[in-house]
Amino acid sequence: MNLALFDFDGTITDADMYTKFIRFTASKRRTVVAGCLLLPLYTLYRIGWFPARKLRPIVSYLAFRGRDYQQLNTMAATYAQKVIPKHVMPHALNKIRWHLENGDTVVVVSASLDVYLKHWCTPLGLTLISSELEVKNGILSGYYATGDVSCETKAIKVRHTFDLNSYERIYAYGDTAEDLAMLQLAHEKYMNWNEVTY
């Protein structure tokens, strides 16, 4: 049996689905307030001085703190059914199906959020490792339950979830530096769909 690890945003999709989900679910008030508070950090992010892995938890806190989880989950299901498919790249979906047809275990490993990714992954039979929103008594705290799943955390969570020695071959697909640690786990590594040999 083989293991196939896929990043999501930019690897399976042609757009940043995390940002689109924030816009899809945010109220006008939260959008205005968050926009004002985040402008300095977003500017630093755009010029490469503030990493996305630190920006995402801040954005998520401002977007989701105090919101009802079930209400957000309902919106997330709609998002997964109606928005995400418009951005899934055909060649990525074909590769996922190829792995599934070969009997491989296929895993989406993403810094994007579990609340919508689970609705996309489950119907396809994919395992999900992703950033998880913390819920307390049905209300979102605004924090991540186990941190932002990017960079080295991707590799750590994959190792904790799977016995890598039990797989004959491991494939990994990514598109940014945040995926490099995950790619190092694989026998076959693909960055932006080009095989790399480092």
Side-chain angles (χ1 to χ4, degrees):
M1 183 183 293
N2 300 323
L3 180 67
L5 308 170
F6 286 84
D7 169 58
F8 190 70
D9 291 359
T11 300
I12 294 175
T13 65
D14 62 10
D16 175 6
M17 302 312 297
Y18 169 83
T19 301
K20 286 185 178 295
F21 182 69
I22 298 295
R23 292 172 179 159
F24 185 80
T25 58
S27 66
K28 290 183 180 179
R29 180 177 178 276
R30 282 188 187 250
T31 300
V32 171
V33 171
C36 293
L37 293 174
L38 290 170
L39 183 58
L41 291 180
Y42 184 72
T43 301
L44 292 175
Y45 160 72
R46 292 294 294 176
I47 62 176
W49 290 1
F50 196 79
R53 62 185 172 82
K54 291 186 177 181
L55 182 60
R56 280 188 299 264
I58 298 171
V59 173
S60 294
Y61 181 86
L62 293 173
F64 303 123
R65 178 172 172 78
R67 296 183 63 176
D68 180 82
Y69 175 75
Q70 288 303 327
Q71 185 180 62
L72 186 71
N73 187 51
T74 298
M75 297 175 75
T78 300
Y79 181 78
Q81 293 163 9
K82 297 186 176 180
V83 180
I84 291 177
K86 296 177 182 178
H87 295 280
V88 172
M89 295 184 285
H91 64 272
L93 190 56
N94 287 340
K95 181 57 73 171
I96 288 171
R97 287 174 173 158
W98 178 81
H99 279 293
L100 291 172
E101 289 167 1
N102 286 343
D104 300 341
T105 298
V106 182
V107 189
V108 170
V109 187
S110 176
S112 271
L113 303 175
D114 63 319
V115 69
Y116 58 86
L117 283 178
K118 65 183 180 182
H119 293 292
W120 187 80
C121 290
T122 300
L124 292 171
L126 311 182
T127 301
L128 175 62
I129 297 174
S130 68
S131 300
E132 301 176 11
L133 294 174
E134 182 182 66
V135 184
K136 294 183 176 180
N137 300 316
I139 302 298
L140 293 158
S141 70
Y143 296 105
Y144 285 178
T146 58
D148 183 77
V149 179
S150 62
C151 302
E152 186 59 35
T153 303
K154 286 193 171 189
I156 291 170
K157 285 189 173 287
V158 168
R159 289 194 198 98
H160 284 176
T161 306
F162 300 98
D163 176 9
L164 300 185
N165 292 323
S166 67
Y167 293 93
E168 182 176 346
R169 197 152 192 82
I170 300 172
Y171 301 80
Y173 304 84
D175 75 309
T176 70
E178 289 192 353
D179 302 314
L180 292 177
M182 181 179 76
L183 265 62
Q184 289 296 330
L185 302 176
H187 301 101
E188 288 190 28
K189 327 173 203 305
Y190 296 86
M191 180 64 77
N192 292 304
W193 296 100
N194 295 308
E195 187 170 7
V196 292
T197 56
Y198 54 81

